[in-house]
């Protein structure tokens, strides 16, 4: 799967861990930055991530910042993207199954590496259920 990952300065270590792990899992990963030691604004990286998911360059996106809150807000500014803030695997699975989320956000200050990997696994392995959920997702696209 083609996955894009981006973070602000608070999450560069988690981003690097997840990027390397995803590559080991056989995924194609686009690291959109930032780099360690740079103080940056999370909206810039959220917008960049949303753009590559919206245009189809990446099938899924992973957005990271200190809490996950700010970058998820930035990603969701793009109407073609549905980004869910997750902190454990159940919410990561449900955002796919019920909401057809194409991005997840996590907070590096709140989520450890192993829990983040479990969230990513649930996010990538869960299919959208469709059915009654489709009309709800359609309403998100038409707002």
């Amino acid at each position: 799967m083609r996955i894009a990952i981006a973070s602000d300065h608070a999450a560069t270590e988690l981003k690097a861990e997840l990027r390397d792990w995803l590559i080991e899992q056989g995924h194609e990963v686009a690291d959109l930055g930032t780099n360690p030691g740079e103080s940056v604004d999370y909206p810039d990286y959220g917008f960049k991530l949303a753009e590559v998911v919206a245009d189809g360059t990446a099938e899924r996106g992973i957005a990271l910042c200190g809490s996950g809150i700010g970058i998820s807000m930035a990603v969701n500014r793009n109407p073609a993207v549905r980004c869910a803030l997750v902190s454990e695997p159940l919410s990561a699975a449900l955002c796919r199954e019920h909401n057809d989320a194409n991005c997840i956000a996590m907070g590096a200050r709140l989520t450890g590496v192993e829990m983040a990997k479990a969230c990513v696994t649930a996010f990538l392995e869960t299919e959208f259920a469709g059915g009654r959920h489709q009309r709800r997702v359609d309403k998100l696209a038409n707002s």
Side-chain angles (χ1 to χ4, degrees), residues 98-116:
H98 292 184
N99 312 112
D100 199 19
N102 47 15
C103 292
I104 57 171
M106 293 181 283
R109 294 179 180 141
L110 307 173
T111 308
V113 173
E114 293 309 312
M115 183 59 74

Side-chain angles (χ1 to χ4, degrees), residues 7 20 42 45-46 49 56 68-69 89 94 101 111 118 130 141:
S7 75
D20 294 347
Y42 61 80
Y45 290 87
L49 179 71
I69 297 167
L94 288 173
T111 308

Side-chain angles (χ1 to χ4, degrees), residues 75-84 94-103 128 132-143:
V75 173
N76 278 317
R77 299 290 298 196
N78 187 312
V81 179
R82 291 170 304 284
C83 182
L94 288 173
C95 79
R96 284 287 308 134
E97 184 179 349
H98 292 184
N99 312 112
D100 199 19
N102 47 15
C103 292
F128 177 50
R132 71 183 190 276
H133 301 291
Q134 185 63 59
R135 77 172 183 272
R136 297 166 185 158
V137 171
D138 290 344
K139 288 180 179 184
L140 292 173
N142 293 324
S143 61

Side-chain angles (χ1 to χ4, degrees), residues 5 14 22 24 27-28 31-32 35 41 50 56 71 80 86 89 93 96 104 116 120 122 126 133-134 136-137 140:
I5 190 167
L14 180 58
L22 285 164
E24 288 172 11
H27 298 285
E28 181 183 329
D31 184 340
L32 305 179
N35 300 313
D41 298 331
I71 202 162
V86 302
R96 284 287 308 134
I104 57 171
V120 170
T126 303
H133 301 291
Q134 185 63 59
R136 297 166 185 158
V137 171
L140 292 173

